[in-house]
Amino acid sequence: MPSSFGTTLTVTVFGQSHSEAIGCVIDGLPSGLTIDQDALATFSARRAPGRMPWDTPRLESDSFRVLSGLTSKSVTCGAPIALLIENSDARSSDYDRTNSVFRPGHADFSAWKKWHGRQDAYGGGQFSGRLTAPLCLAGGIALQALEHQGTQIAAHVQSAAGIADEPFDAFSNNSQAQVHLEHQIAALHDGRIISTINQEAGEKLTAALMEIRAEGDTIGGLVECVATGFPAGVGSPLFDGLESRISQAIFSIPAVKGIEFGLGFRVSEARGSFNNDPYEIRNGQPQPATNNAGGILGGISTGAPLLFSCVFKPVPSISLPQQSVDYTSNEETTLQVHGRHDTCVALRAVPVVEGMTALVLLDALLSYPAEPKRNPYEE
């Protein structure tokens, strides 16, 4: 089963939800990059469980150890970076019954059909969102590398429980929209509890989550992500296009069920005269005047803000009775899940989306950079 992704920059994830530790190995980072480990810990803490009443009560600090790849001054040396997170609050007894009863909405049934009961079922094993913790660390390092060359990545909860947040101002692609977008990104980085641009939306979502949790249920959500300052001409057509690579990475986050770029599925009802982004000369260079394409054409970046949204399904583990099957007796039964789970996974997934996007964009910069201009007649 593949546990690695990337072309020039590769990431390998190891561990399970209830194993002694989880971690990742990052290979292909250039040497000489200074890593701010305090900033990395702060970024990782945004994903850590147990901070809010609608989170899973599983208390994991997600503190990490760097095993290799950095000098004593936290500078990359060219060797693979290995990061380790110890699991300190796994409670496997919560899963004694689900070892034989399929949890609706989880991968229990499909994993059982593939591995015939030999899979690790505790906490979801390799399918668990717990594995996004080391991905967050790898992504946090990629974010720092991209920031050095002027690229910023931010995400927010675009909607959940029927409550919509203010969208990123990334479609106009003019100077006024760029300034507004910068302010939106800055607001998301001010340490707010829920990643919404509009604080009133965050307050309404807080109240809705508490009601849903009290009912023993869960809810899905939509996360919007934007990357600014990413240069034009990066990427590749066909199978290694930016949309293809970002989609693969985002779909590796547990509970993601869909993704759209730019105007997305709304283009099904749009005319070409509206959807097409015209061009203009700005600062002496041709640039898209609007950004319905979401910053990507033909798998290659246009220099406009790279914009996409991804949808998360409701957490399958709910305390309400659900119909299932006990596969040891081959009999139908009723299951109530009593483990520790989130009410809306989209909230803690926001930094994971940012990190996975950073890994793809940094890999693309290293693998498929924009080619320098040259005149063949001057050779």
Side-chain angles (χ1 to χ4, degrees), residues 165-184:
D165 188 25
E166 174 186 331
F168 283 130
D169 193 352
F171 287 100
S172 298
N173 199 35
N174 55 39
S175 57
Q176 183 177 355
Q178 289 169 2
V179 171
H180 186 211
L181 182 56
E182 289 176 5
H183 290 161
Q184 290 178 315

Side-chain angles (χ1 to χ4, degrees), residues 6-42:
T7 302
T8 301
L9 178 70
T10 62
V11 178
T12 301
V13 177
F14 61 86
Q16 302 101 257
S17 178
H18 287 198
S19 58
E20 289 189 12
I22 53 178
C24 64
V25 178
I26 312 160
D27 200 2
L29 271 176
S31 62
L33 175 66
T34 300
I35 303 300
D36 186 336
Q37 293 194 43
D38 290 335
L40 184 59
T42 299

Side-chain angles (χ1 to χ4, degrees), residues 178 280-287:
Q178 289 169 2
E280 63 184 13
I281 298 295
R282 194 184 313 147
N283 300 323
Q285 297 291 328
Q287 296 185 33

Side-chain angles (χ1 to χ4, degrees), residues 9 17 32 48 55 69 81-82 129 151 174 200 219 228 231 257 269 293 297 350 370:
L9 178 70
S17 178
D55 291 347
I81 298 176
T151 297
N174 55 39
E200 184 179 352
I219 193 72
T228 62
K257 298 300 290 183
E269 300 177 354
L297 286 171
V350 166

Side-chain angles (χ1 to χ4, degrees), residues 306-328:
L306 196 155
L307 181 72
F308 70 89
S309 297
C310 54
V311 63
F312 288 81
K313 70 178 183 180
V315 176
S317 293
I318 59 176
S319 57
L320 299 174
Q322 300 180 86
Q323 180 181 330
S324 188
V325 167
D326 186 325
Y327 61 81
T328 58

Side-chain angles (χ1 to χ4, degrees), residues 181-252:
L181 182 56
E182 289 176 5
H183 290 161
Q184 290 178 315
I185 293 173
L188 289 169
H189 291 165
D190 67 359
R192 57 190 59 189
I193 295 173
I194 293 184
S195 294
T196 56
I197 298 169
N198 185 298
Q199 289 191 326
E200 184 179 352
E203 293 169 1
K204 290 180 179 178
L205 183 54
T206 297
L209 290 173
M210 296 305 293
E211 290 182 10
I212 293 167
R213 190 170 188 85
E215 295 169 0
D217 217 337
T218 58
I219 193 72
L222 188 67
V223 172
E224 185 182 41
C225 183
V226 69
T228 62
F230 192 69
V234 177
S236 173
L238 297 176
F239 309 110
D240 276 350
L242 287 180
E243 288 157 321
S244 301
R245 292 160 69 87
I246 290 171
S247 296
Q248 180 188 24
I250 295 300
F251 272 115
S252 70

